Amino acid sequence: MQQQEIEKNTYTIDESQPLAGDQRADTMTINMGPQHPSTHGVLRLLLTIEGEIVLKAIPDIGFLHTGIEKTAESKSYHQALVLTDRLDYLAPLNNNLAYSLSVERLLGIEDQINAKIKYTRVILAELQRISSHLVWLGTHALDLGAMSMFLYCFRERELILDVFELISGVRMMTSYICPGGLQAELPPAFEKTVRAFTSTFPARLQEYHDLLSNNQLWLERTKNISILSQEDALAYGASGPVLRGSGVVWDIRKAFPYSGYEEFDFDIPVGANGDVYDRYMVRMLEMDQSLKIIEQALSGLQQGAYRVGGPKIVPPPKWQITGSMESLIHHFKLFTEGYRPPKGEVCVRTESPKGELAFYLVSDGGPKPYRMHVRGASFANLQVLPRMIEGGYLADVVAGIGSIDIVLGEVDR
C-alpha cells in the first residue's frame, strides 16, 4: 500500500521530451508544497532539478477546491454575493464589485446607479487594491528575507481594515458592495477616516522604497530573476501587474472603464524587463496611483441614495417594514425567493489587484443563476510560472511565485 502511494505521487520524466539543455543525468524530481509556506497557499509544484537548476516545473492545483461557481448556481443572486468574498479572499470588495456589476447588467439597472454609489465603490475598490498589495509586499519580502517588511505592511493594512469595519462591522468579508448599490449608508466618519489613511500612507510607502527599492540584497534577489517576455505574457493570457511588468500597457479600468473610472486621472505603471523587480515596482507604483484615485473620488463624492429604488430588487428600509404591510411582503419575498432577471447572458470585466477579473452570468429567468463562471486572474497568471522559473535556480522559485501574487481561493474556486 505504501509503495503504491509513493509511485502514485512520483512524477516520471518523459525521456521523449527534451529538458532544458537536454540534460537528464543526475536529475531529481521533488515536491514543493502544498504545505510549503512560500507557495502562498496549497499549491504543489513538481520540480525536476539538476543540482540547483530547475529543469522542469509542473504546477499541481485543486487542493483548495470549494466549488464556488457551482454552489452559486444553487443560491439566489443575493445569497451568491457572499460566495464571491471567498474567491480572492485578500480582495473581497473587488470580487463584490465585479459580481454586482454583472447582476446589475442582467437586471438592466446600470443607469440607475448614481454617482454616490459609483464613487464609493471606486474608493473601496482602490483601498482594497492597496490592502491586497500590502499583503503581497509583506509576504513576498518575507520570502526573500526582508522580515521587518511583513510587520510594516500589516501595520498599514490594519488602517484600511478599520475603514471596512467602520462601514460594515466586518474587517474582511464585508459583502458591502451588492447588486443595486451598497449594503448600508456610509457612516458620518467615513470620509474623515479615509483621509486620515491617505494623509499618512504616502510617507509609509516611501519607507518601503527606502528599505527595498535600492537595497543591494533585494536587487540581487529580484533583478533579472524569473523573466517573462512580453510575447509569453500575451500568449499565456497574463493580466494585471504580471502583464504590465513585461511592458504591456493594459488595464481594464482604462480599456473598458466601469463604475466611473473614466472620470479619474491616473497612470498605468509598466515595467521593461519582465523580471521580479519590475513586477515589484509596478505594484509599488500602483499603490501610489490608487491613492490618487481615492483622493479624486473623495473630492467628488456626492449626496444621494446608497441603493437604487425598487423594492423588488433591494429590500425596503427597516422603518418602512414596521409600518407598511406591502413593504414587509416585499422584504419577505426578496429574501425567500429573490429577484428574477430576464433571460440572457452577460460578461463583465474588471481590474482586480491580481489582474483581469471577469464574471460570466447566464439567466434563465429564474431566481438563481443558471450558470456562473469566473475568470480569475490568479488562475491565468499561474500558467506562466514554469516559463519564469525553468532554467533558473531553485532558490529563485519562491521569488517567481511571490512576484505573480496568486491566491489559491481564486485559482481553485
Side-chain angles (χ1 to χ4, degrees):
M1 175 69 78
Q2 187 176 8
Q3 181 64 28
Q4 291 177 349
E5 192 67 21
I6 293 173
E7 292 175 356
K8 177 182 176 183
N9 290 286
T10 301
Y11 171 73
T12 304
I13 300 175
D14 184 357
E15 293 291 333
S16 66
Q17 299 293 324
L19 296 171
D22 197 26
Q23 299 187 32
R24 302 185 182 87
D26 300 323
T27 61
M28 180 188 303
T29 300
I30 61 173
N31 277 316
M32 181 177 175
Q35 293 85 11
H36 197 290
S38 293
T39 57
H40 293 262
V42 283
L43 170 67
R44 177 192 181 210
L45 290 178
L46 282 80
L47 301 175
T48 301
I49 60 174
E50 182 179 27
E52 289 292 316
I53 303 298
V54 177
L55 301 181
K56 192 174 183 66
I58 301 176
D60 184 15
I61 62 175
F63 293 91
L64 194 67
H65 185 58
T66 51
I68 286 176
E69 292 171 327
K70 200 64 184 175
T71 303
E73 295 167 17
S74 64
K75 306 291 183 184
S76 70
Y77 288 91
H78 182 75
Q79 292 170 332
L81 175 68
V82 299
L83 297 174
T84 65
D85 285 303
R86 277 82 183 166
L87 290 166
D88 176 2
Y89 42 76
L90 296 179
L93 283 165
N94 296 93
N95 305 333
N96 294 163
L97 177 57
Y99 174 76
S100 297
L101 291 172
S102 303
V103 176
E104 287 163 2
R105 185 170 295 181
L106 265 182
L107 291 167
I109 61 171
E110 291 175 293
D111 295 338
Q112 299 179 36
I113 304 298
N114 62 34
K116 175 184 177 177
I117 296 172
K118 288 181 179 180
Y119 278 41
T120 303
R121 288 175 169 183
V122 167
I123 292 169
L124 296 176
E126 294 308 314
L127 283 172
Q128 189 77 86
R129 191 181 311 277
I130 296 173
S131 171
S132 177
H133 283 351
L134 286 173
V135 175
W136 155 79
L137 178 60
T139 54
H140 185 41
L142 188 65
D143 288 341
L144 301 183
M147 301 182 70
S148 58
M149 281 301 303
F150 182 81
L151 302 176
Y152 297 150
C153 290
F154 270 70
R155 176 188 62 188
E156 273 67 76
R157 179 173 177 261
E158 286 298 302
L159 301 177
I160 298 176
L161 297 189
D162 287 343
V163 176
F164 298 160
E165 185 176 15
L166 175 69
I167 62 174
S168 68
V170 183
R171 296 184 71 78
M172 286 187 64
M173 311 300 179
T174 65
S175 299
Y176 185 73
I177 298 174
C178 61
L182 309 170
Q183 291 284 11
E185 183 62 88
L186 291 174
F190 173 73
E191 183 174 346
K192 179 182 177 182
T193 308
V194 175
R195 288 195 185 277
F197 170 77
T198 58
S199 63
T200 59
F201 187 67
R204 302 288 172 84
L205 187 58
Q206 186 58 49
E207 283 183 20
Y208 306 159
H209 279 294
D210 294 341
L211 285 166
L212 293 180
S213 296
N214 293 310
N215 184 305
Q216 189 60 38
L217 293 174
W218 183 257
L219 294 176
E220 289 180 9
R221 292 304 310 272
T222 58
K223 281 278 190 179
N224 299 316
I225 302 297
S226 299
I227 294 175
L228 179 67
S229 69
Q230 190 173 116
E231 293 74 22
D232 284 341
L234 290 168
Y236 278 81
S239 62
V242 175
L243 180 64
R244 293 190 285 274
S246 296
V248 180
V249 184
W250 181 255
D251 191 311
I252 300 299
R253 294 172 295 175
K254 289 279 193 181
F256 302 100
Y258 56 92
S259 197
Y261 270 108
E262 67 277 7
E263 301 172 20
F264 301 108
D265 176 34
F266 64 98
D267 299 320
I268 305 175
V270 294
N273 303 316
D275 56 11
V276 172
Y277 186 82
D278 277 7
R279 291 187 283 276
Y280 153 78
M281 191 57 71
V282 163
R283 291 187 179 95
M284 293 289 281
L285 296 175
E286 274 189 8
M287 287 192 277
D288 190 48
Q289 294 302 312
S290 291
L291 280 176
K292 188 176 176 182
I293 295 172
I294 292 168
E295 290 285 1
Q296 294 174 65
L298 282 173
S299 299
L301 194 60
Q302 304 174 13
Q303 296 297 319
Y306 67 92
R307 283 176 176 167
V308 300
K312 293 187 182 299
I313 297 174
V314 297
K318 288 189 176 180
W319 63 268
Q320 281 189 5
I321 297 173
T322 57
S324 168
M325 177 57 70
E326 184 181 6
S327 296
L328 181 61
I329 292 171
H330 278 305
H331 184 276
F332 179 78
K333 289 181 70 66
L334 188 62
F335 284 98
T336 55
E337 298 178 9
Y339 39 77
R340 297 172 180 266
K343 290 183 180 180
E345 57 182 351
V346 298
C347 183
V348 173
R349 307 162 73 180
T350 63
E351 186 73 27
S352 82
K354 311 296 185 294
E356 184 175 336
L357 172 66
F359 274 80
Y360 172 70
L361 291 176
V362 179
S363 170
D364 59 359
K368 303 173 184 177
Y370 176 76
R371 178 77 178 94
M372 185 176 99
H373 175 66
V374 181
R375 194 273 184 197
S378 295
F379 179 77
N381 290 343
L382 184 59
Q383 298 178 105
V384 304
L385 182 61
R387 299 291 292 181
M388 289 182 181
I389 63 177
E390 287 177 355
Y393 286 103
L394 179 61
D396 293 329
V397 171
V398 294
I401 297 172
S403 72
I404 299 177
D405 189 21
I406 57 171
V407 166
L408 268 294
E410 192 176 53
V411 173
D412 290 346
R413 58 181 190 283

